[in-house]
Amino acid sequence: MTVTPKISINDGNLVVHGKTILRGVPDNIILTPGSGVGLVTGAFIGATASESKCLHVFPVGVLEDTRFMCLFRFKLWWMTQRMGTCGNDIPLETQFMLVESKDTTEGEHEDAPTIYTVFLPLLEGQFRAVLQGNEKNEMEICLESGDNAVETNQGLYLVYMNAGTNPFEVINQAVKAVEQHLQTFHHREKKKLPSIIDWFGWCTWDAFYTDVTAEGVEDGLRSLSEGGVRPRFLIIDDGWQQIGNEAPKDTNCVVQEGAQFANRLTGIKENKKFQTKGLKHVVEEAKKQHNVKYVYVWHALAGYWGGVQPAGPGLEHYETALAYPVQSPGVMGNQPDIVMDSLAVHGLGLVHPKKVFNFYNELHAYLASCGVDGVKVDVQNIIETLGAGHGGRVSLTRSYVQALEASIARNFPDNGCIACMNHNTDGLYSSKQTALVRASDDYYPRDPASHTIHISSVCYNSLFLGEFMQPDWDMFHSLHPTAEYHAAARAVGGSPIYVSDKPGNHNFELLKKLVLPDGSVLRAQLPGRPTRDCLFVDPARDGTSLLKIWNVNKCTGVVGVFNCQGAGWCKVIKKTRIHDASPGTLTSSVQATDVDTIDQLAGPGWNGDSVVYCFRSGEVVRLPKGASLPVTLKVLEYEVFHFSPVKEIVTNISFAPIGLLDMINSGGAIDQYEVHLASEKKSEHLDGESQSSTATVSLKIRGCGRFGVYISQRPVKCSVDSANTGFDYNSESGLLTLNIPVPLEEEMYRWNVEIQV
């Protein structure tokens, strides 16, 4: 018997499961099968060149008439998605690509399974690979070191490929195979999540920007607490540090626009705005007076936007030197950045890589002594532009990331770190510890084009980023025309939930759909990702598709549906723009299997029936296996569907848990449920017919308010923590509702709810 590899090069064609993906593969392209556990289904693409250089572009083969979705860096800091059908559609700086084909190993036929092939460009030694396309429809590998002195003439493990019938498993297995191959990073599942993820937070950024003060922090916390929604974590963003600017005033105006970006750190302690009270007192006040559990502060990976002041008083031992950023051609071919315009003229104060652990450790030890629990580390990708003289971009980035993670491990025991502006593979494939990553470009409250783009970008980026860290879908304003749209996305995204409201500007009614009275949130379990039928359509630009995002809670699945049409990143003008000022109303449908792992939630013996609770409409519908529910939305509208597998608890009585009906992520309230049969015996009726014994459904519930389950027959009685309670039962829909009180004191309290049938 001949074992045919699932991925191979035959007669100049790259073939996956019998289907040609790339034609005309050049002779200098080498395919190496993956080896070892978890690598058996995959293969590495390598390439050789006739001369050594610091930058190579290798054509890999022609891609045509094949749907794909990719994630590329549209600017230095951030990725977004692009869909296409040919090589020329692959953007510069593509770091992840998923291709759709059919399995034709058994010949061409209609019901052949869909095969999903992932391409992951990797790091090899001091080099980094990315994908791009050219006008001949060739996929290319761009390989670069970022240092003219670091050259090579080959790379054997430049791109890892994996293929299979479940796209989410294919991606997951591929990243785990690369983890085993590189041994320089860890998968998300191995990392400790910081505790902030389960609590509601407030960030100072969009409230004050860099004008944040100690008084502003106090005002913001008081304002939210007085409305009954207590932030349990606080992020003091950019604006608290000691900085200075030596830039001359007569430089050209483009650079002056970005003058703040030339500022450098002049000390590791707080600036004058915070010195009157002292950072330590600000933190203590937040924790004692406002019951904040965790305080994070912001800093850049280089210290500040412009780095650290060379030979600044008290900073001499960091051996900081001025460095001038050089961006890669791929980044330059996408969106220019004002930060880089500024730094290219003024330079950045780069702490010597051998001293950078000392810098982080001294900064973080000081912060920890003030009661700070973690840091938001921003502007990370700047380091890739400074690799010259340091062994290249990969070496320098890895030095910085490893030093940062070592300092965080030493000073912040809860793994308190949010990584930001770090969407490059140099960093992602070098991170063994950081567990939270900002998933897209910022939330921009005043930019109308940004809101739909934000939701689609965080969702698609999470397909890739979510394998490394838990994606953070960013802060938002609770009082804003798009507030509920953003809130719903955070609720289904599994993201930390935090706002950046100005003091006094809050929508408490909305916040109470996200936050429980103890300040905790109902977090979905996984990174939110697009459903299978959304992978290769473009819900931001195609004018016809709604975006569907799936996730799971402990006992139920959830699908958020969003109309994200009308705006996107434009490759012609190289920036985000509105391309349809009035996108139409769109219709799609949802079904239980949109939740990719619903079979696992349901357990063995599930017949495929589910109950769906529609959050906005309040409808409860029982769906037979394979049935779907239509959904129609205008732009910037959403609906959230909770899918609960139906379980027969005794003959002719079926049950499905739903959750807290007034919380956006309703199903997040249910920790577990069990069915106990009252007796295994059957009682004989006078007419000779037997009746199944009764049963009790026991649920563990977090939160308070209207709690709902589906049950096909009116129950005998219900209790909450052993006290009988009244309930409403709708025999048409099968919805049983009862009221869960507010827990008295205990945080994260779990109620015991029992329903007897």
Side-chain angles (χ1 to χ4, degrees):
M1 171 182 151
T2 310
V3 178
T4 314
K6 301 275 177 77
I7 301 172
S8 59
I9 295 177
N10 301 333
D11 302 325
N13 295 327
L14 178 68
V15 179
V16 177
H17 288 249
K19 187 74 173 176
T20 294
I21 303 287
L22 299 177
R23 291 183 298 100
V25 177
D27 292 342
N28 68 321
I29 297 298
I30 304 151
L31 197 69
T32 306
S35 59
V37 181
L39 289 170
V40 284
T41 55
F44 293 95
I45 301 174
T48 59
S50 54
E51 56 180 317
S52 281
K53 294 194 289 188
C54 63
L55 190 152
H56 292 272
V57 175
F58 298 111
V60 185
V62 174
L63 177 76
E64 288 176 328
D65 303 321
T66 303
R67 292 203 303 173
F68 71 82
M69 186 279 297
C70 69
L71 301 173
F72 72 103
R73 284 197 299 167
F74 66 98
K75 56 182 173 187
L76 178 64
W77 323 105
W78 303 113
M79 294 190 295
T80 193
Q81 76 278 6
R82 169 74 55 80
M83 288 67 180
T85 56
C86 65
N88 196 31
D89 292 338
I90 306 171
L92 298 166
E93 279 294 314
T94 291
Q95 302 188 123
F96 168 95
M97 186 162 163
L98 188 69
V99 175
E100 178 191 53
S101 63
K102 287 286 184 184
D103 187 335
T104 57
T105 46
E106 306 292 320
E108 301 267 356
H109 54 95
E110 277 296 300
D111 55 353
T114 299
I115 298 295
Y116 300 89
T117 304
V118 67
F119 291 82
L120 298 178
L122 304 179
L123 310 179
E124 183 168 345
Q126 294 169 287
F127 284 78
R128 167 184 177 263
V130 283
L131 302 176
Q132 58 192 39
N134 65 28
E135 290 177 354
K136 299 183 206 166
N137 279 337
E138 289 172 316
M139 176 198 281
E140 297 175 332
I141 298 170
C142 178
L143 183 68
E144 62 185 312
S145 69
D147 185 341
N148 290 341
V150 177
E151 298 185 334
T152 190
N153 63 357
Q154 66 168 25
L156 299 181
Y157 302 94
L158 301 183
V159 177
Y160 183 70
M161 292 176 64
N162 189 33
T165 54
N166 181 309
F168 308 106
E169 287 176 9
V170 163
I171 295 164
N172 181 269
Q173 289 163 2
V175 174
K176 286 178 176 174
V178 172
E179 176 189 21
Q180 185 183 324
H181 165 71
L182 289 178
Q183 306 214 342
T184 54
F185 74 99
H186 285 318
H187 191 274
R188 169 181 56 82
E189 292 163 14
K190 292 183 180 172
K191 294 178 175 179
K192 172 184 165 55
L193 275 175
S195 304
I196 62 167
I197 193 127
D198 289 313
W199 300 92
F200 171 63
W202 178 63
C203 177
T204 60
W205 181 243
D206 286 309
F208 299 111
Y209 299 110
T210 52
D211 295 329
V212 63
T213 61
E215 295 70 31
V217 171
E218 161 71 18
D219 290 347
L221 293 173
R222 187 193 311 112
S223 181
L224 281 159
S225 297
E226 284 173 354
V229 180
R230 295 183 298 173
R232 305 306 302 276
F233 76 86
L234 160 69
I235 301 174
I236 301 174
D237 213 296
D238 187 2
W240 69 273
Q241 291 167 291
Q242 298 175 20
I243 55 171
N245 185 352
E246 293 183 348
K249 298 290 180 232
D250 58 352
T251 49
N252 68 63
C253 88
V254 174
V255 172
Q256 281 183 334
E257 258 186 282
Q260 68 163 334
F261 302 126
N263 282 333
R264 300 189 194 119
L265 203 66
T266 57
I268 62 170
K269 297 186 176 181
E270 65 271 34
N271 60 30
K272 286 178 183 168
K273 293 182 291 176
F274 284 82
Q275 279 169 1
T276 315
K277 278 189 172 179
L279 181 62
K280 184 171 187 166
H281 183 71
V282 172
V283 173
E284 274 176 7
E285 209 170 57
K287 291 183 176 183
K288 286 180 180 164
Q289 294 185 17
H290 298 289
N291 214 13
V292 169
K293 291 172 82 76
Y294 308 100
V295 176
Y296 282 33
V297 302
W298 179 99
H299 71 79
L301 190 60
Y304 199 68
W305 291 90
V308 172
Q309 185 62 41
L315 306 174
E316 301 89 347
H317 57 300
Y318 300 141
E319 296 180 21
T320 301
L322 274 188
Y324 292 85
V326 178
Q327 295 179 78
S328 73
V331 169
M332 294 296 283
N334 286 335
Q335 184 170 327
D337 196 286
I338 193 171
V339 179
M340 304 311 293
D341 293 337
S342 175
L343 294 176
V345 172
H346 301 304
L348 177 142
L350 185 70
V351 172
H352 194 284
K354 289 197 165 38
K355 301 291 181 180
V356 75
F357 170 75
N358 294 347
F359 168 62
Y360 291 141
N361 186 46
E362 287 168 28
L363 170 63
H364 294 160
Y366 173 70
L367 292 172
S369 76
C370 295
V372 169
D373 303 283
V375 282
K376 171 181 171 180
V377 185
D378 211 347
V379 205
Q380 295 206 17
N381 287 359
I382 194 74
I383 302 301
E384 75 172 54
T385 68
L386 303 165
H390 295 286
R393 53 186 292 166
V394 173
S395 302
L396 188 63
T397 299
R398 190 161 290 157
S399 298
Y400 267 68
V401 169
Q402 287 174 349
L404 176 75
E405 293 192 334
S407 176
I408 284 163
R410 177 182 284 197
N411 295 290
F412 303 126
D414 193 42
N415 196 20
C417 183
I418 302 170
C420 193
M421 297 176 81
N422 68 320
H423 290 189
N424 68 4
T425 45
D426 312 54
L428 290 172
Y429 288 126
S430 299
S431 170
K432 290 192 169 182
Q433 181 182 300
T434 307
L436 273 179
V437 57
R438 269 278 310 283
S440 80
D441 200 348
D442 291 12
Y443 166 76
Y444 293 110
R446 295 188 298 277
D447 178 4
S450 72
H451 300 292
T452 52
I453 290 171
H454 189 97
I455 305 308
S456 59
S457 290
V458 290
C459 175
Y460 284 95
N461 285 346
S462 292
L463 274 170
F464 181 46
L465 294 174
E467 300 297 327
F468 299 86
M469 305 172 195
Q470 185 70 29
D472 166 3
W473 289 15
D474 204 8
M475 61 193 104
F476 66 102
H477 276 171
S478 73
L479 192 64
H480 190 276
T482 64
E484 200 163 332
Y485 184 76
H486 279 282
R490 307 312 188 272
V492 299
S495 165
I497 294 178
Y498 58 115
V499 294
S500 55
D501 294 352
K502 282 189 168 73
N505 295 333
H506 316 289
N507 178 344
F508 289 110
E509 187 186 348
L510 173 60
L511 289 174
K512 286 172 184 176
K513 296 175 185 177
L514 292 169
V515 187
L516 297 173
D518 65 357
S520 66
V521 296
L522 302 177
R523 180 174 62 88
Q525 299 289 294
L526 299 173
R529 287 162 290 178
T531 57
R532 232 183 251 218
D533 55 348
C534 286
L535 287 173
F536 303 106
V537 298
D538 189 349
R541 275 177 281 242
D542 66 11
T544 57
S545 306
L546 292 174
L547 173 63
K548 302 191 314 190
I549 303 172
W550 73 274
N551 209 325
V552 295
N553 292 302
K554 288 179 180 171
C555 301
T556 61
V558 58
V559 177
V561 187
F562 299 82
N563 188 328
C564 297
Q565 292 289 344
W569 189 81
C570 175
K571 62 183 177 184
V572 179
I573 62 166
K574 312 247 180 248
K575 59 181 180 183
T576 294
R577 72 177 183 92
I578 294 174
H579 52 258
D580 183 351
S582 50
T585 300
L586 299 176
T587 297
S588 184
S589 64
V590 291
Q591 56 187 351
T593 49
D594 284 336
V595 178
D596 198 73
T597 55
I598 196 155
D599 285 14
Q600 294 165 35
L601 283 177
W606 180 47
N607 71 357
D609 287 5
S610 61
V611 163
V612 58
Y613 168 61
C614 317
F615 172 74
R616 286 186 66 199
S617 72
E619 279 182 285
V620 172
V621 182
R622 181 165 174 163
L623 287 178
K625 181 178 182 175
S628 60
L629 203 64
V631 52
T632 299
L633 299 171
K634 295 175 184 166
V635 72
L636 290 169
E637 283 188 342
Y638 79 94
E639 178 60 282
V640 175
F641 298 91
H642 294 275
F643 288 95
S644 187
V646 172
K647 184 172 191 157
E648 189 167 72
I649 47 177
V650 290
T651 308
N652 295 330
I653 301 181
S654 47
F655 174 85
I658 295 171
L660 287 174
L661 303 177
D662 298 316
M663 301 297 285
I664 299 175
N665 186 25
S666 314
I670 303 165
D671 250 22
Q672 62 182 79
Y673 85 95
E674 293 170 345
V675 178
H676 305 281
L677 297 180
S679 161
E680 297 303 328
K681 296 174 186 171
K682 294 187 175 179
S683 53
E684 290 288 330
H685 277 259
L686 293 177
D687 57 8
E689 285 184 15
S690 68
Q691 183 191 12
S692 296
S693 59
T694 57
T696 300
V697 181
S698 298
L699 304 102
K700 287 227 180 292
I701 305 302
R702 201 158 63 77
C704 56
R706 286 193 314 138
F707 177 72
V709 301
Y710 165 85
I711 192 159
S712 62
Q713 181 179 302
R714 185 183 181 88
V716 178
K717 67 173 183 177
C718 299
S719 66
V720 177
D721 276 5
S722 304
N724 285 353
T725 185
F727 59 86
D728 291 315
Y729 181 69
N730 181 325
S731 56
E732 262 181 59
S733 65
L735 177 65
L736 164 75
T737 52
L738 50 90
N739 198 57
I740 309 276
V742 178
L744 289 173
E745 285 301 320
E746 194 181 325
E747 290 179 351
M748 294 275 189
Y749 185 75
R750 283 157 178 76
W751 298 97
N752 287 307
V753 174
E754 293 199 340
I755 300 164
Q756 289 187 22
V757 293

